[in-house]
Structures are given as structure tokens and as C-alpha cells.
Amino acid sequence: MSQKEQSTLAIIGQGYVGLPLAMAAVDAGWSVIGIDKDHFKVAQINSGSSPVEDVSDNKLQTAISRGTYRVTTDPASVGDASVITICVPTPLNDKREPELALLISATTVISPYISNETLIVSESTSYPGTLRDVIIPIVKSLKPSESSVLYFASAPERVNPGDRVWNQKNTPRLIGAIDGASRARALRFYESICDVAVSVSSPEVAEAAKLLENTFRLVNIALINEFTQLCSATGINVHEVIDAASSKPYGFMPFRPGVGVGGHCIPVDPLYLTWWARQHGCSAPLIESADSINQAMPGYVAERALKMIDPLNTNPKILIMGVAYKPGISDFRETPALELKNYLIAKGAIVAWHDPLVSTWEGSNSVDLNWDCDVAILATKQPDMKIDELVSKGIQVLDCTNSFSLNPGVTSI
Ligand SMILES: NC(=O)c1ccc[n+]([C@@H]2O[C@H](COP(=O)([O-])OP(=O)(O)OC[C@H]3O[C@@H](n4cnc5c(N)ncnc54)[C@H](O)[C@@H]3O)[C@@H](O)[C@H]2O)c1
């Protein structure tokens, strides 16, 4: 391997994807430069405080003090790198369509500094064609003229924040490169940090596979969210049904109902797929229907909670427990708890929330479990959440997380 190949990795975006990747690469012997445009985040990381739960302060501080990791806002730092990975957000715009502005701006600011023989990898989730039709043209139009040989691949990140089992190392990584030389470089890079790198025939296959993975989850969650409403209306415990179906050893995979879907992936990525379908004169009605079902879940949960309250009480006090979109993390992007809160307030409820991992959300602070309420909705069960205390005080709980079984005072959705 040449000097150029094994020296330094630059990662654009130091969030839930970029920072764990940085630490995995440090563990694999890489010298890593984290680049992020957020000055506050860069200052926080430089002070040794990790902004993501999957990276401990100790791990970060060790990498910084050993000089194997540094973080900066300076995009020119990519000039020192032999591999650049782009890990910036790919959200939806107001029309719920792909918003690539951050991906485009990240590519634009680094391109003038990319040195010859660098491998550029997009790890951000996006529709098929993003590497070939969006990223590569920007790089080629802005790169230094002496950087005549560049390699490109798409390797969509599959990290599952808060997961104690699957991580950067043991989760197989898909790699779709634009040519054989790029594939060889990308495989060598990912094989240095992951146990398994799976090569596919093109970047578009890798990009499409990532959208399929998350759309599979969206559709199955929607199915079980629809099914739970049917079970509830007919007096059947949906969780008992799911457990029963799970006894089949093949052809079934359990999904659980909840307040909806949240985070930067499941509610977002399938809409990249539906948008991409429309660009090609196709439609994806199943995915659109699944999206609608999940979008309607906060309203369904709110109505269930309101039915637990004396109808004469027109301003009931309702506590939402857990506003992060899933347990074990503080990330509340796209959390369905927001629609739940807004729906309840529109119905006249006085709403407070409690989340041990989130201190401030939507301009208010987490209350403690002593907040006097008529009903508590368990939306996300965070570790160390003392829900038993609430139940023992006689507060009615609507459990959307399957945390209780047959507990008097607790209703399951
Ligand atoms: N969070 C997940 O669970 C997850 C899992 C798999 C894939 N992904 C995908 O990975 C990508 C990144 O997601 P994330 O959750 O890490 O986002 P994040 O918001 O946690 O982190 C992204 C970081 O990029 C920085 N950034 C934005 N624009 C930049 C720019 N122009 N230059 C430099 N830095 C910039 C932001 O300041 C932020 O710190 C997205 O495409 C997402 O869909 C996310």
C-alpha cells in the first residue's frame, strides 16, 4: 500500500455517523481529521466532551491526547487526507422531498483542497445517483487541476445509535464504487475498519439498498401500527399476538407498535425513495400509505390517552414520558412525540414531558415524575426511567412501548 493510501482519513460531519466512524478508524490505526461546520460542536469535541452517546468522553479524550484524532472547522484540512468520507445530514425540505443542500455545500467547500489520488466516499443516505450525478460533478468542477486521479464510492452508513451489539466494526458495509480502481481502494479502506465489506456493482445499487433497508422497516412498522388499532378496537392484546406469531421459526419478523417513527432515517429515507420513483415516472403507493399510517399514529395515541380522562375535564394534564425518538439516546429529530404534544395541546390539554436524556426540547425543560398529571403516556422508555414510581402513585399510564404486562393502571396501545 502506498504512503498515500494508508495515511490520513478526513470525515466531513462529526455527528451520529461521523464521530463513531472516526473512533472506529482510530482503533484501526488511522490518523483521523474530523471536519464539522458547527463551531460549538467542534469546541465541545475539542474540550473532550462527546456529543453522541455511542462515543464516550474517555474514548474521545484518549484519541485527542494521542494525536490520532483532531477536529476542526477548516475544510482545507482534507488536503492532508488520502480518504475522505462525507457524513452530513440528508433531511427533507418543507415539501417532504430530498434536501441535499448540506451534502452539496459540504462537497463544494472541500473540493478545492482534495489532493491527487484521494478516495472520496459518500456515507450519507440518499437516492440512487447521488454520488454519480451530484457529488462527482461538483468535485470534478472544483478540484485542483493537479488532482487528476480521484476515486469515488458510495458506502451508506448503517449505524444504529444506542445499539450495544451492532457497531461500525461488526456491521457489514456495502460498497458501490464507480470503477474497479475505486472499488479496490474503497474495499481496502473499509476492510481496515469493518469485519466485512460487501462490494456491489455500482454506487446506485448501494444507495438503493440503503433506502430499501429503511423502507422495509417503515412499512413493517406501519403494518403493526395499523394492526394494533384493529386489535385494540376488538379487545385483543397486540403484543400477545406478536409474541404468538413470533413462535413461527421462519417467514415472520416481529415489529412493535408505537407513537410513530422518528429519527433521521426511518421517517426520512423512504421519502427519498418515493421522490426518486416519481422522478422516473413511477409511484410507490405502498410506501406512501405506510408513511401516512405512521404519521397518523401520534393522533391515534393522543385520542387513546384523552379517552382515559374524565370527559368533563376539558384541560387535562398529560405527561409525555420519553421524547427522544428511541431508547438510550438523546436524539429527538423527527420524534413523533412532537406531533403527539401538539395534538394534545390543540385538544386543550396541558402537556409536560419527562426524559432523563433530554434536558431541553421545544423551548421547555424536562419535568420530574412528580409532575401532577391525569394521564402519563409512555412514548419512549429511556433507561433509568422510574415508571414504576408513577404507577405506584396510582397515575394512569398509556404504554406505547410494551414495557408493562398486565399491570393494573397501565393500558397498552
Ligand atoms: N443517525 C443515524 O442513525 C444514521 C444512520 C445511518 C445513516 N445515517 C445518515 O448519515 C448521514 C449523517 O447523519 P447523522 O445522523 O450523523 O447527522 P448529524 O446531524 O448527527 O451529524 C451531521 C454533522 O454534519 C455537520 N455538517 C453539516 N453540514 C456540513 C458541512 N457542509 N460541512 C461540515 N459539516 C457539516 C453538522 O454540523 C453535524 O455535526 C445522513 O445522511 C443520515 O441519513 C444516519
Side-chain angles (χ1 to χ4, degrees):
M1 200 181 282
S2 73
Q3 183 65 23
K4 178 70 182 166
E5 278 193 52
Q6 62 172 196
S7 47
T8 299
L9 165 68
I11 304 174
I12 320 303
Q14 293 296 279
Y16 280 91
V17 164
L19 194 55
L21 173 69
M23 295 301 110
V26 163
D27 287 345
W30 286 79
S31 172
V32 180
I33 308 166
I35 299 170
D36 202 292
K37 68 172 190 172
D38 182 338
H39 290 259
F40 294 106
K41 187 177 275 189
V42 168
Q44 180 187 353
I45 295 173
N46 270 327
S47 75
S49 167
S50 171
V52 303
E53 293 81 8
D54 290 346
V55 173
S56 70
D57 291 351
N58 186 37
K59 178 108 190 153
L60 193 60
Q61 289 159 9
T62 304
I64 292 171
S65 64
R66 287 187 182 154
T68 49
Y69 172 71
R70 70 185 170 91
V71 63
T72 175
T73 56
D74 181 11
S77 304
V78 299
D80 297 333
S82 55
V83 179
I84 300 170
T85 59
I86 301 174
C87 305
V88 299
T90 42
L92 298 173
N93 64 18
D94 291 346
K95 290 194 247 163
R96 302 187 78 223
E97 292 179 345
E99 172 57 270
L100 296 190
L102 295 173
L103 188 66
I104 290 169
S105 73
T107 310
T108 302
V109 295
I110 62 168
S111 290
Y113 308 104
I114 296 173
S115 57
N116 197 32
E117 288 194 44
T118 297
L119 167 68
I120 298 129
V121 184
S122 176
E123 295 207 1
S124 291
T125 306
S126 188
Y127 55 83
T130 301
L131 179 75
R132 198 183 298 274
D133 302 335
V134 179
I135 294 175
I136 293 178
I138 295 172
V139 173
K140 289 199 167 163
S141 69
L142 298 174
K143 71 178 178 61
S145 56
E146 59 272 24
S147 298
S148 54
V149 179
L150 296 177
Y151 306 97
F152 294 94
S154 169
E157 175 57 76
R158 290 166 152 173
V159 70
N160 183 21
D163 195 321
R164 302 244 171 261
V165 176
W166 297 105
N167 53 44
Q168 304 269 350
K169 182 152 176 26
N170 63 8
T171 304
R173 176 70 74 137
L174 287 183
I175 292 160
I178 53 155
D179 53 35
S182 299
R183 180 175 306 115
R185 280 289 303 272
L187 277 172
R188 278 203 291 278
F189 169 61
Y190 281 103
E191 281 168 352
S192 76
I193 57 172
C194 305
D195 294 341
V196 178
V198 180
S199 175
V200 295
S201 64
S202 69
E204 289 75 18
V205 170
E207 290 163 332
K210 172 69 190 179
L211 295 188
L212 174 63
E213 290 165 16
N214 283 353
T215 303
F216 172 85
R217 285 189 59 73
L218 178 96
V219 168
N220 279 286
I221 291 167
L223 171 65
I224 216 68
N225 278 337
E226 184 176 79
F227 187 69
T228 200
Q229 296 177 50
L230 175 60
C231 285
S232 169
T234 53
I236 296 173
N237 182 313
V238 69
H239 296 291
E240 195 179 350
V241 179
I242 297 168
D243 291 343
S246 299
S247 65
K248 183 180 176 184
Y250 58 89
F252 182 80
M253 187 182 284
F255 286 80
R256 298 283 168 178
V259 181
V261 287
H264 188 34
C265 297
I266 308 300
V268 174
D269 303 349
L271 299 195
Y272 272 63
L273 198 51
T274 54
W275 179 87
W276 181 63
R278 288 196 296 278
Q279 304 316 297
H280 291 81
C282 302
S283 63
L286 177 67
I287 304 169
E288 281 167 10
S289 178
D291 174 50
S292 301
I293 290 167
N294 289 329
Q295 292 271 322
M297 276 311 280
Y300 169 77
V301 170
E303 289 294 343
R304 288 281 307 272
L306 290 167
K307 283 199 183 85
M308 294 164 72
I309 295 162
D310 182 347
L312 297 176
N313 182 355
T314 49
N315 298 112
K317 296 176 82 179
I318 300 184
L319 178 66
I320 299 175
M321 292 189 292
V323 299
Y325 78 90
K326 68 174 180 178
I329 61 168
S330 59
D331 190 354
F332 47 72
R333 287 178 295 180
E334 314 286 335
T335 176
L338 179 58
E339 177 57 24
L340 176 62
K341 172 172 163 278
N342 290 341
Y343 191 104
L344 290 166
I345 289 171
K347 291 281 178 176
I350 297 158
V351 181
W353 59 276
H354 167 80
D355 193 317
L357 296 184
V358 179
S359 52
T360 306
W361 175 62
E362 289 292 304
S364 59
N365 296 331
S366 177
V367 299
D368 67 31
L369 289 180
N370 288 324
W371 192 74
D372 184 30
C373 63
D374 298 298
V375 162
I377 301 173
L378 182 55
T380 299
K381 187 179 178 302
Q382 295 285 27
D384 302 331
M385 205 180 233
K386 308 223 168 10
I387 40 180
D388 288 333
E389 282 180 17
L390 210 63
V391 178
S392 64
K393 280 196 292 185
I395 303 230
Q396 296 186 90
V397 176
L398 177 61
D399 177 17
C400 306
T401 67
N402 194 28
S403 299
F404 295 91
S405 62
L406 306 176
N407 196 322
V410 176
T411 305
S412 180
I413 59 161

